[in-house]
Amino acid sequence: MRKVLFTIAMVLAVAGASAQGQGQGGGRPPMGGGMFGGQQQIDVKFDEYVAAPQGYDRETAGIERGELQVVEYFSTTTDTTRKVTIYLPPKYDTSKKYPVLYLLHGIGGDHREWMQGVPNIIMDNLIAQNKAVPMIVVMPNGRAIKNDAAGGNIYGMEMQQGFANFERDLIDNLIPFIEKNYSVYTDKNNRAIAGLSMGGGQSLNFGLGNMDKFAFVGGFSSAPNTRQPVQLIPDIEKTKQENKLLWMVCGSRDGLMQNSSRLKAFCDENGIPCTLIQYPEGQHDFVVWKYGLYNFAQLIFK
Ligand code: FER
């Protein structure tokens, strides 16, 4: 009974967070051609854009639903207790094992930000249609600092350090926590990482930097924290062998395209399979990020 109450409370907490809508992320600066329009354009061949079907992000009547929780884990990286949002697939069954997608938020957000992109609805629909395998989606707080509240001086050094340090929290604390408390596979072929903007940069940095941990890597509108291609991919042959998916999307009207296109150009030059879709008229927002999740989730763990 206690467990049931706890879960209900958490589901309500998550629903409340998402109901606050766009303003919830802690104040995202405008990111269209304007504010970050200064980046150099790189000529690359984009992969084909195929629109997501109508209703992919709307609740479907009569299908099984997954469950949302907010839980806490202790981090030795920050020496604090940290919150994480977790999506369990429909009919989550501890006699089975599931793969895990780590899904990271942007610079102004926290563990609740992805709720603006209704990941639970997108995943319920994909799983009901057999387009994605049942998986657990883990949405952490990507700022590994003592005060990890959304907002603050998001472009300050301490925050940048906190975003970089999340690599340690993820690998040393969060992944072990998930593997101890949920019924999951623990090999790299059953672990994926993707994120939006700052979290896209983190996903490319941490995913390609830890190919023994993540075989599937995605970056949606990745931010300038994305490392240079030669840093991301120091060993071309190893990357070809170990990475199973490198997938990116960015809006055509997003001033941050270069972080994705320079990696795509490097991959194309070196024969590394890599996808970059340019979302038509896409800006720096959840229209693009929901599309990212919808597509990425169908390509992983297969
Ligand atoms: C920057 C511009 C944008 C930057 C980060 C961002 C680290 C991230 C934006 C987001 O997460 O929405 O110069 O530098």
Side-chain angles (χ1 to χ4, degrees):
M1 183 59 184
R2 266 183 93 147
K3 182 156 183 291
V4 172
L5 278 179
F6 172 79
T7 302
I8 291 171
M10 288 310 167
V11 170
L12 288 176
V14 172
S18 73
Q20 289 172 35
Q22 283 297 119
Q24 197 280 317
R28 181 181 303 284
M31 211 73 63
M35 191 165 178
F36 294 98
Q39 283 195 339
Q40 185 200 335
Q41 295 294 316
I42 295 177
D43 228 6
V44 284
K45 194 174 175 307
F46 294 113
D47 293 275
E48 188 192 0
Y49 166 80
V50 179
Q54 284 261 320
Y56 83 97
D57 57 350
R58 298 255 171 265
E59 265 184 30
T60 307
I63 63 166
E64 299 276 357
R65 292 185 203 292
E67 177 189 318
L68 286 165
Q69 308 178 336
V70 175
V71 299
E72 295 188 335
Y73 66 100
F74 183 76
S75 167
T76 56
T77 310
T78 54
D79 203 23
T80 55
T81 298
R82 312 193 70 228
K83 288 193 168 76
V84 53
T85 304
I86 300 190
Y87 166 84
L88 299 177
K91 293 187 284 187
Y92 171 70
D93 173 355
T94 54
S95 72
K96 295 182 181 158
K97 282 190 191 298
Y98 298 86
V100 186
L101 165 60
Y102 291 84
L103 189 61
L104 311 185
H105 65 79
I107 199 165
D110 61 16
H111 63 287
R112 298 167 298 180
E113 187 182 40
W114 258 104
M115 292 313 300
Q116 295 172 37
V118 292
N120 52 320
I121 295 176
I122 293 173
M123 293 308 304
D124 287 349
N125 288 340
L126 285 174
I127 293 167
Q129 294 174 26
N130 270 319
K131 288 182 176 172
V133 302
M135 67 183 80
I136 294 180
V137 183
V138 176
M139 293 164 273
N141 179 326
R143 39 182 83 203
I145 47 178
K146 278 200 193 295
N147 177 4
D148 62 6
N153 179 10
I154 50 177
Y155 295 110
M157 276 311 289
E158 193 203 358
M159 202 71 81
Q160 301 304 316
Q161 195 54 51
F163 276 112
N165 273 354
F166 182 63
E167 180 170 12
R168 293 276 39 101
D169 183 35
L170 173 65
I171 289 170
D172 300 341
N173 301 290
L174 181 57
I175 292 177
F177 172 82
I178 296 297
E179 294 180 351
K180 183 159 176 265
N181 291 286
Y182 294 88
S183 196
V184 298
Y185 291 113
T186 58
D187 60 301
K188 57 176 271 184
N189 291 330
N190 283 292
R191 228 184 266 121
I193 186 164
L196 70 90
S197 198
M198 178 66 91
Q202 287 177 309
S203 299
L204 297 172
N205 294 346
F206 308 162
L208 292 171
N210 296 275
M211 288 193 294
D212 58 324
K213 301 274 188 317
F214 302 99
F216 306 91
V217 178
F220 315 153
S221 319
S222 299
N225 61 319
T226 307
R227 291 183 192 132
Q228 292 296 322
V230 285
Q231 295 174 299
L232 288 172
I233 304 183
D235 186 335
I236 289 162
E237 285 315 309
K238 188 167 180 250
T239 304
K240 281 186 197 169
Q241 275 166 25
E242 296 192 7
N243 178 267
K244 287 190 151 186
L245 181 72
L246 176 51
W247 194 95
M248 298 181 283
V249 65
C250 189
S252 68
R253 294 174 61 196
D254 188 328
L256 299 183
M257 172 61 91
Q258 201 227 83
N259 307 304
S260 305
S261 56
R262 70 180 180 221
L263 178 56
K264 169 69 174 162
F266 179 90
C267 288
D268 287 356
E269 274 163 34
N270 291 289
I272 301 167
C274 171
T275 298
L276 172 56
I277 293 173
Q278 177 173 241
Y279 192 103
E281 299 304 313
Q283 304 190 46
H284 199 73
D285 62 24
F286 267 99
V287 174
V288 175
W289 304 328
K290 287 195 293 188
Y291 177 83
L293 176 61
Y294 172 79
N295 283 278
F296 186 75
Q298 296 182 61
L299 298 169
I300 55 181
F301 313 131
K302 290 181 173 168

